[in-house]
Amino acid sequence: MDLKLSYKNAERILEVEDGEVPYLRYPLLSDTGIVKHGFSTRLGGVSEGCYASMNLSFTRGDREEDVRENFCRIADAIGVRCEDMVFSQQTHTSNVRVVTEADRGMGITRPLAWQDVDGLVTDVPGICLVTFYADCVPLFFVDPVKKVIGLSHSGWRGTVAKIGKETVRKMREVYGCDPGDILAAVGPSICQDCYEVSEEVIRQFQEHFSEKDWASLFYKKENGKYQMDLWRANEMIFLESGIKTEHIAVTNICTHCNSEVLYSHRAMGDQRGNLAAFLALNEET
Ligand SMILES: [Zn+2]
């Protein structure tokens, strides 16, 4: 597959696994040797029309058998199993669910038993956490010491509610993780140049972020709108949670700048598929 991506900078933050079913991954996380993970693209699937081709949503009107085939394909590529997947049910909350052995297959081999779950954490080897995207920000967490992982969906509402911090809090509270050990990544999503927001949205950020940081998060334009940097905001949330700078990777790939190969809500509207993020602890660890 020829995956043509434009990058915001030249750093080696994300790598492309360029097989028949391409996906993106972070060397920061792979290098731990304890996880399998990936972020899908639009390529390598069987869906048609506005869903073409790797749509990973059962709820956007695509044919169920096509979506199932897509999940099989991406699972094979990343090295996880469909029956081990556990899905979020994203509604822009900051709710983080602790996933146990009993949840295996939730969302794919059986109907989801929960709603309003935007973050997932687990310490169960083999279980593959799955969250969904089309411009919103995926947050990956790996604690290589306690062998605990987390995956959270952080759109602007989730970012204002600091779901990243909530995920770290859950990892500390439930599994005794030390934030100083946690590796964290901000995944492919909309960049500041592409993300115009209203003053109403900015007011929410002003309420939840300290004034000294505003200038690095957003700027006002002549039309009265703002350009907002969700990547930087989530990086700040990581730091605020006690994660070390050297343990953080921030994407340099924007979904909107790359809407030919990544689904982007701002670029495509509602007629589109979903991307997905995958994260699983290796079974042999
Ligand atoms: Zn962009």
Side-chain angles (χ1 to χ4, degrees):
M1 282 277 170
D2 191 16
L3 195 60
K4 285 196 186 69
L5 283 162
S6 81
Y7 295 82
K8 301 300 287 186
N9 60 50
E11 284 169 59
R12 179 179 164 268
I13 296 162
L14 276 151
E15 277 181 356
V16 179
E17 283 296 322
D18 211 3
E20 258 177 59
V21 178
Y23 65 95
L24 305 168
R25 65 178 183 85
Y26 290 87
L28 175 78
L29 304 184
S30 318
D31 289 352
T32 61
I34 66 160
V35 291
K36 295 199 170 64
H37 78 287
F39 189 77
S40 67
T41 75
R42 289 177 61 179
L43 309 183
V46 298
S47 294
E48 292 168 4
C50 70
Y51 307 111
S53 67
M54 181 53 80
N55 169 38
L56 295 169
S57 172
F58 287 113
T59 58
R60 304 197 60 81
D62 195 3
R63 292 185 354 177
E64 185 183 332
E65 60 267 39
D66 289 352
V67 180
R68 288 203 177 274
E69 173 62 20
N70 291 343
F71 271 104
C72 290
R73 289 185 177 204
I74 190 87
D76 268 358
I78 295 174
V80 296
R81 284 186 302 260
C82 277
E83 57 267 32
D84 294 336
M85 290 182 184
V86 175
F87 287 12
S88 55
Q89 203 279 321
Q90 299 165 197
T91 52
H92 300 279
T93 66
S94 59
N95 300 331
V96 178
R97 168 119 193 160
V98 175
V99 172
T100 66
E101 185 60 55
D103 299 325
R104 221 179 263 265
M106 199 68 84
I108 185 143
T109 61
R110 55 210 169 107
L112 268 176
W114 50 70
Q115 50 188 0
D116 304 330
V117 170
D118 283 81
L120 302 165
V121 293
T122 195
D123 68 345
V124 182
I127 281 188
C128 182
L129 308 179
V130 188
T131 52
F132 305 93
Y133 303 92
D135 288 341
C136 284
V137 184
L139 304 178
F140 295 79
F141 302 85
V142 176
D143 177 348
V145 177
K146 288 287 199 302
K147 296 195 169 69
V148 174
I149 54 172
L151 193 59
S152 294
H153 161 254
S154 189
W156 77 260
R157 286 188 183 82
T159 303
V160 163
K162 301 192 177 175
I163 190 171
K165 195 172 181 179
E166 186 53 25
T167 310
V168 172
R169 196 186 67 75
K170 209 68 153 189
M171 290 171 74
R172 295 175 72 148
E173 182 187 291
V174 178
Y175 304 109
C177 296
D178 177 348
D181 294 329
I182 296 175
L183 308 176
V186 174
S189 43
I190 196 160
C191 76
Q192 184 173 22
D193 296 335
C194 295
Y195 195 46
E196 180 183 86
V197 298
S198 67
E199 184 159 3
E200 220 175 289
V201 169
I202 289 301
R203 267 197 225 109
Q204 302 267 328
F205 280 96
Q206 288 172 330
E207 240 175 74
H208 293 89
F209 287 81
S210 118
E211 195 169 347
K212 68 173 169 46
D213 295 327
W214 294 357
S216 58
L217 290 178
F218 51 80
Y219 62 87
K220 192 172 186 174
K221 301 184 301 174
E222 281 183 4
N223 66 1
K225 303 272 191 179
Y226 294 76
Q227 295 296 129
M228 173 71 210
D229 190 347
L230 290 178
W231 298 356
R232 180 75 187 121
N234 279 288
E235 186 183 9
M236 278 179 188
I237 291 166
F238 286 167
L239 293 168
E240 201 180 301
S241 309
I243 297 174
K244 296 176 177 163
T245 308
E246 65 268 31
H247 289 172
I248 296 174
V250 179
T251 180
N252 53 358
I253 295 175
C254 165
T255 43
H256 189 271
C257 292
N258 292 285
S259 60
E260 291 292 312
V261 289
L262 302 172
Y263 301 107
S264 163
H265 181 72
R266 285 278 176 118
M268 308 171 78
D270 281 326
Q271 298 298 301
R272 57 165 173 82
N274 267 358
L275 304 162
F278 301 85
L279 178 60
L281 284 163
N282 288 342
E283 257 154 333
E284 49 286 348
T285 60

